[in-house]
Amino acid sequence: MNFVTSVATAVALGLGGAAQAADVMLLTEDYAPMNFERDGEIVGLGADQVFEMMNRAGITYEAELTQWSRAIGQAERRPNTCVFSTTHTEERDPNFQWVEPLASDSTILVRKAGSDIAPASIDDARGYRTGTQTGDYTVGVLEEAGFEAIDLAPSQSATLKKLLQGRIDLMATSGSFLEAALADGAEIEEALVISTTTMSVACSHKTDQALVARMQEALQSMIDDGTQAEIMAKYE
C-alpha cells in the first residue's frame, strides 16, 4: 500500500477581496476507502461526502491529510476544527459535536491469510497478540473487551506490516480497511467481527454550533436526495 503522510487542499467559497481564513479546518487520515490521497487530492467515500456537505452548507474550509493521532487530538482541542471519518463510540461521544452518518462499518479482527489463528469469540481473541493504530477508536474497543497487551503503531500501514511479518497475531481495524487492503493485494483475511459502528464527522466543542448545524442539515439533504448513495456506489 502507498500511504501519504501529509497533503493539504484548500477550498474558498466566494471570490473577490483579500483572502480570508476558512470557516472550518478539516483533518483526516489515509484510511482507504474512506479517505485517501489520489493525484494530490483528498478523496474517498467519506471525503467526497464531507466536501460536498461543506459546499452545500456554504462553509469555507481547509482540509489536511495527516497522522490520525494528530488529527483527532487537534479536532478535540482547536476551535472550528473537525475530523473525519471518525467512528462514533461511547467513549468519544462527550468529546465532540457530531455530524452523521457518513457510513456504517464493522469493527473486526484480521489475521494473515492462511493463518491457523481462529478465535471463536472475543474471549478467545484476548489470548493473542493484537495490534492497532495509536489514537484509533479500536484501542478503546479492545480495552473495553478486556484486551490487555495491545500492540500500538503510529499508522494502520505499520500495524499491517507487523501482522504480515508475524510480529502480531491479529489486527483490529474496520471492515472498509480490510476491503481496501484486499484490493491492494494484502494477504489478510477476516478472523472475527467485534461490532458494527457509525462513521461520522467529529467537531470540537469550540466549533461554532451554527456551523455544525448547517453541516448536519447539508448531510441530511445528501442522504435524502440520493447523493450519499451515489458516492458510496463509486467506492464499492
Side-chain angles (χ1 to χ4, degrees), residues 20-118:
Q20 296 183 354
D23 295 324
V24 173
M25 182 67 193
L26 298 172
L27 299 170
T28 189
E29 65 170 337
D30 193 333
Y31 196 97
M34 296 301 297
N35 333 287
F36 58 98
E37 185 271 342
R38 184 173 63 199
D39 299 329
E41 294 186 359
I42 302 172
V43 296
L45 169 57
D48 290 5
Q49 288 189 66
V50 171
F51 299 153
E52 170 65 16
M53 174 188 76
M54 300 299 280
N55 291 336
R56 287 195 183 199
I59 300 171
T60 61
Y61 65 91
E62 292 183 8
E64 181 183 352
L65 193 70
T66 185
Q67 287 279 1
W68 182 249
S69 56
R70 175 178 177 271
I72 196 163
Q74 292 207 16
E76 191 169 358
R77 296 187 301 269
R78 287 174 48 181
N80 295 327
T81 302
C82 306
V83 62
F84 70 93
S85 302
T86 318
T87 302
H88 191 163
T89 65
E90 183 177 351
E91 179 183 17
R92 286 177 177 170
D93 182 73
N95 299 332
F96 297 98
Q97 301 182 71
W98 296 90
V99 180
E100 58 192 7
L102 297 178
S104 293
D105 205 348
S106 57
T107 303
I108 61 175
L109 297 175
V110 301
R111 63 192 174 203
K112 185 176 180 179
S115 169
D116 59 3
I117 295 170

Side-chain angles (χ1 to χ4, degrees), residues 1-231:
M1 293 184 177
N2 294 319
F3 288 84
V4 178
T5 55
S6 179
V7 61
T9 183
V11 176
L13 302 180
L15 302 176
Q20 296 183 354
D23 295 324
V24 173
M25 182 67 193
L26 298 172
L27 299 170
T28 189
E29 65 170 337
D30 193 333
Y31 196 97
M34 296 301 297
N35 333 287
F36 58 98
E37 185 271 342
R38 184 173 63 199
D39 299 329
E41 294 186 359
I42 302 172
V43 296
L45 169 57
D48 290 5
Q49 288 189 66
V50 171
F51 299 153
E52 170 65 16
M53 174 188 76
M54 300 299 280
N55 291 336
R56 287 195 183 199
I59 300 171
T60 61
Y61 65 91
E62 292 183 8
E64 181 183 352
L65 193 70
T66 185
Q67 287 279 1
W68 182 249
S69 56
R70 175 178 177 271
I72 196 163
Q74 292 207 16
E76 191 169 358
R77 296 187 301 269
R78 287 174 48 181
N80 295 327
T81 302
C82 306
V83 62
F84 70 93
S85 302
T86 318
T87 302
H88 191 163
T89 65
E90 183 177 351
E91 179 183 17
R92 286 177 177 170
D93 182 73
N95 299 332
F96 297 98
Q97 301 182 71
W98 296 90
V99 180
E100 58 192 7
L102 297 178
S104 293
D105 205 348
S106 57
T107 303
I108 61 175
L109 297 175
V110 301
R111 63 192 174 203
K112 185 176 180 179
S115 169
D116 59 3
I117 295 170
S121 65
I122 292 176
D123 286 342
D124 289 344
R126 291 193 195 103
Y128 293 103
R129 294 171 299 166
T130 301
T132 191
Q133 174 182 333
T134 300
D136 193 59
Y137 80 97
T138 51
V139 177
V141 171
L142 292 174
E143 289 174 343
E144 277 189 30
F147 287 74
E148 295 180 355
I150 304 169
D151 185 287
L152 297 176
S155 65
Q156 288 283 17
S157 58
T159 301
L160 178 58
K161 184 176 181 180
K162 287 183 178 184
L163 181 69
L164 295 173
Q165 292 176 341
R167 295 161 59 192
I168 57 175
D169 301 314
L170 295 167
M171 174 182 180
T173 188
S174 67
S176 59
F177 179 87
L178 173 60
E179 291 176 6
L182 291 173
D184 252 359
E187 297 182 351
I188 57 177
E189 59 192 14
E190 182 181 301
L192 183 71
V193 176
I194 299 176
S195 62
T196 301
T197 55
T198 299
M199 305 298 287
S200 313
V201 180
C203 300
S204 71
H205 284 298
K206 295 178 181 178
T207 300
D208 187 334
Q209 292 182 4
L211 292 178
V212 176
R214 284 162 58 188
M215 291 162 64
Q216 183 64 63
E217 183 179 353
L219 178 60
Q220 187 60 54
S221 75
M222 292 166 58
I223 295 170
D224 293 342
D225 69 14
T227 300
Q228 184 183 76
E230 290 176 3
I231 292 172

